[in-house]
Amino acid sequence: MPKARPRLTTAVAASLASLMLLTACGGDSESDSSDTGSSESASDSQDATPTLAEPKEEDLDKVEEIEVTQADGKKGPSVELPEKPLEVSQTTRTILDEGDGKELPDDAYATVDLAMFSAKDGKAIDGSETYSSSPIVLDLGNKQSLPGLVKTIKDQPIGSSGVAVLTPEDLFGKEGAPQLGIDGKDNLVLVYDVRGELPAKAQGKEVEPKDGLPTVDWKADAPADITIPEGEDPPKKLVVEKLIEGDGEKIAKDDYVYVSYTGVTWKDGKVFDSSMKDGRGPFAFPVGQNAVIPGWDKAVEGAKVGDRLLVVVPPEEGYGKEGTPDGSIKGGATLVFTVDILGAP
């Protein structure tokens, strides 16, 4: 749940890895009409998920001749180009190792390690490498994602790795990404490993709900039904109860966590926000960094991947006496959420 109504991903990142995270993240507030976190690219006008074209023989020959030194421990991969600059007529991929996991569906949230290099000289793009930190989550069904990434990663089994050369129109368009030293004429070389897929919901053991608290009827394709107990006053302090207990890693401060959620007000039980609306998908935020309301930071830190939480947030842990700037949540409101912790790559 964002602190303010604009989406979390409007924060402009300085590194390519962060930029790709911004375009990959599907969750936002439904009242946010300006997607300023996404890079301008050819994908903005596309009506369908980008598809990798049949490679031209001359392009494929060049890509297959790229020498890749794989990542080793905390050191990312490197490349040696067959010619400098390396030019292709369209985004072209070659698979180095075809994985034996499930094939990613077109709307998957794929967890991917990657690194990018200039096709002019083979030098690494600062901040683009995730192998020494943690994978990014790429929304393969998000039309606002950088299309070159979607084209390269989709239609492969989990466990696959490869190398591709991406053209400017499939990345940052004519404007390029000056903060990364990339102009609108640069091809980029991408090395990638498909690590897995973000689950669609909490996965674990169901926990018996406590009496006197709201009940939750979770739905796969719509906001959850949250029923407020009749005649009960809202609690004065933050309440966090597990509805499903996952067995994943424990969430720590500074982890970048992916969740799905539905929120209602205690007063009337009406949904005011949900990541399950309009195909928006998971919402991502850094835990303990004041990017969400205090009640969320406190609820998620210490929980585990796979948990489904019932979170009752009193005003002082939510939007206080003032409410939200747009007036959608009134001052003094107690809020009730169900939160599925999907992953923290």
Side-chain angles (χ1 to χ4, degrees):
M1 178 64 195
K3 277 189 74 177
R5 304 304 285 173
R7 62 188 293 176
L8 169 68
T9 55
T10 55
V12 178
S15 70
L16 182 60
S18 295
L19 268 175
M20 289 183 288
L21 259 173
L22 300 184
T23 59
C25 177
D28 66 357
S29 165
E30 70 175 320
S31 66
D32 176 24
S33 60
S34 61
D35 186 9
T36 57
S38 298
S39 301
E40 292 295 329
S41 72
S43 66
D44 295 337
S45 60
Q46 289 183 348
D47 296 325
T49 302
T51 301
L52 195 65
E54 187 70 25
K56 297 180 179 179
E57 185 175 350
E58 58 270 26
D59 290 339
L60 187 58
D61 287 343
K62 293 178 182 180
V63 177
E64 289 179 339
E65 290 177 5
I66 298 173
E67 295 182 13
V68 178
T69 301
Q70 296 293 342
D72 181 15
K74 288 296 183 180
K75 185 178 180 181
S78 60
V79 298
E80 185 67 36
L81 305 183
E83 60 185 58
K84 299 176 184 179
L86 183 60
E87 298 180 353
V88 294
S89 61
Q90 61 188 27
T91 293
T92 303
R93 172 192 74 193
T94 184
I95 297 175
L96 300 176
D97 184 15
E98 186 168 350
D100 56 6
K102 64 170 286 190
E103 186 168 309
L104 293 170
D106 286 347
D107 60 351
Y109 287 83
T111 56
V112 183
D113 266 321
L114 48 80
M116 278 190 165
F117 308 85
S118 169
K120 292 188 296 187
D121 54 20
K123 292 183 179 179
I125 302 298
D126 287 343
S128 74
E129 178 266 308
T130 67
Y131 290 85
S132 60
S133 54
S134 59
I136 67 163
V137 174
L138 180 63
D139 179 1
L140 300 184
N142 185 353
K143 299 170 188 175
Q144 301 304 316
S145 293
L146 300 179
L149 293 176
V150 173
K151 288 180 179 182
T152 302
I153 302 303
K154 66 179 297 193
D155 300 326
Q156 293 181 80
I158 292 171
S160 296
S161 63
V163 61
V165 178
L166 282 56
T167 58
E169 58 264 30
D170 276 344
L171 286 165
F172 304 105
K174 296 179 180 179
E175 295 183 0
Q179 69 272 42
L180 303 172
I182 300 170
D183 64 31
K185 299 178 182 179
D186 289 341
N187 286 345
L188 290 181
V189 177
L190 170 71
V191 175
Y192 67 88
D193 282 80
V194 182
R195 302 300 190 190
E197 179 185 3
L198 208 66
K201 62 179 180 179
Q203 297 178 340
K205 180 181 178 181
E206 290 191 9
V207 178
E208 187 71 23
K210 291 188 177 181
D211 293 337
L213 291 176
T215 58
V216 174
D217 181 14
W218 188 87
K219 298 180 179 180
D221 55 0
D225 287 332
I226 301 177
T227 303
I228 308 300
E230 291 188 14
E232 293 283 347
D233 292 329
K236 301 297 184 183
K237 295 184 178 181
L238 179 71
V239 174
V240 182
E241 295 290 340
K242 290 186 179 183
L243 302 178
I244 291 178
E245 184 169 4
D247 58 4
E249 65 178 281
K250 192 173 183 179
I251 304 299
K253 185 178 180 181
D254 299 329
D255 281 351
Y256 208 90
V257 65
Y258 288 77
V259 304
S260 65
Y261 69 93
T262 296
V264 305
T265 51
W266 183 284
K267 182 178 180 180
D268 55 20
K270 291 184 178 180
V271 174
F272 61 83
D273 196 13
S274 177
S275 65
M276 304 298 287
K277 283 186 175 182
D278 305 321
R280 280 162 45 188
F283 174 73
F285 66 98
V287 178
Q289 295 299 311
N290 204 33
V292 292
I293 56 175
W296 263 44
D297 271 334
K298 293 179 180 179
V300 172
E301 185 175 351
K304 293 185 293 186
V305 173
D307 283 353
R308 175 172 296 156
L309 305 177
L310 173 68
V311 185
V312 184
V313 182
E316 60 270 22
E317 303 279 10
Y319 292 96
K321 296 179 181 180
E322 297 79 17
T324 55
D326 66 357
S328 60
I329 298 175
K330 304 301 182 183
T334 295
L335 310 176
V336 183
F337 296 92
T338 178
V339 181
D340 280 23
I341 302 178
L342 304 179

